[in-house]
Amino acid sequence: MNSSTQKPNLQKGCLLVIEDGQDQWILMKLAIKSAIMGVKPIRVTNPKEALAYLNDCLTVGVEFPSMILLDLYLPEREMGWHLLHEIRSLPAPVNLIPIVMLSSSNDQGDISNSYNRGITAYMVKPTDTTSWVETFQMLGEYWLKTVSLPNHTNFW
Amino acid sequence: MNSSTQKPNLQKGCLLVIEDGQDQWILMKLAIKSAIMGVKPIRVTNPKEALAYLNDCLTVGVEFPSMILLDLYLPEREMGWHLLHEIRSLPAPVNLIPIVMLSSSNDQGDISNSYNRGITAYMVKPTDTTSWVETFQMLGEYWLKTVSLPNHTNFW
């Protein structure tokens, strides 16, 4: 991708990771550090913490995430879907942040229902370290270097 | 990306390209052919043709696109946004298809407004042939090989 089409959305941004599994989080943190240089992951473990963080973005100016990675089963899928609905119901620009669902489930009902409820993309969690790094390389290449994201500073 | 995480969503699918510019379309068609093997692009030039195609998917079973590439200025941006609204108002599963907006505009108002109106991702059109090929390689790698898309056969 040449410089004319690169959109370095997240080179100084952060990534909000909503993940209740400690083992998964350790793998993800290592993979993010290896695959997406300069992007700080902020992890929360449950819907309450996630909404508190996003509300703080709107009210007290904590760092605005350029992307949200959302686990579906938190630990029940209804909790993931409910949180998705709550994030999409927040005021702009928080409701416009791309939400990539990362789940171990490859059930077609989970996938279709998640799109129906407003996710941006659904990705099945990898099962080994190498694939986690490849997944974050791909997320970084696409969402951070190719896509133009909404600029949250326009909304303040 | 190893085989456990590959999701060959579009290897036998098609791509609906809504693009009014003939010169742009020629570049895009060549780039798609070069970058995404096995994916057939179907081009329409205006909102009426686009909606007719998508309604035919629902009613007479023409090939269901796995992704929609939507030009914003058709030739006014209000036409692109109105078409986006109409597609998102169609019955499932057509309303769930990822819509990637491809536009020459890098205006932040165009970008934020497009997210606000329901696009999946916004990408600024490249300006040379090599970058068009790289753009479609990235689209293919991410949306066709990494992401799990809703399976439209679930809805029939």
Side-chain angles (χ1 to χ4, degrees), chain B residues 14-31:
Chain B
C14 72
L15 205 59
L16 182 63
V17 182
I18 306 165
E19 171 60 61
D20 61 347
Q22 179 66 13
D23 293 349
Q24 298 274 303
W25 164 241
I26 290 169
L27 283 171
M28 292 168 80
K29 188 168 60 170
L30 290 171

Side-chain angles (χ1 to χ4, degrees), chain B residues 5 10 21 25 28 32 35-36 42 46 50 52 59 79-80 83 90 105 107 111 126 131 137 150 154 156:
Chain B
T5 54
L10 302 192
W25 164 241
M28 292 168 80
I32 292 168
I36 321 179
I42 293 170
N46 60 57
T59 53
M79 290 177 73
L83 177 56
L90 289 171
S105 166
D107 176 78
I111 295 169
S131 298
Q137 281 169 340
N154 287 3
W156 305 116

Side-chain angles (χ1 to χ4, degrees), chain A residues 62-78:
Chain A
V62 301
E63 197 169 11
F64 191 93
S66 298
M67 195 192 311
I68 296 171
L69 301 182
L70 173 60
D71 188 20
L72 175 55
Y73 285 73
L74 284 169
E76 287 85 34
R77 62 183 181 177
E78 286 72 18

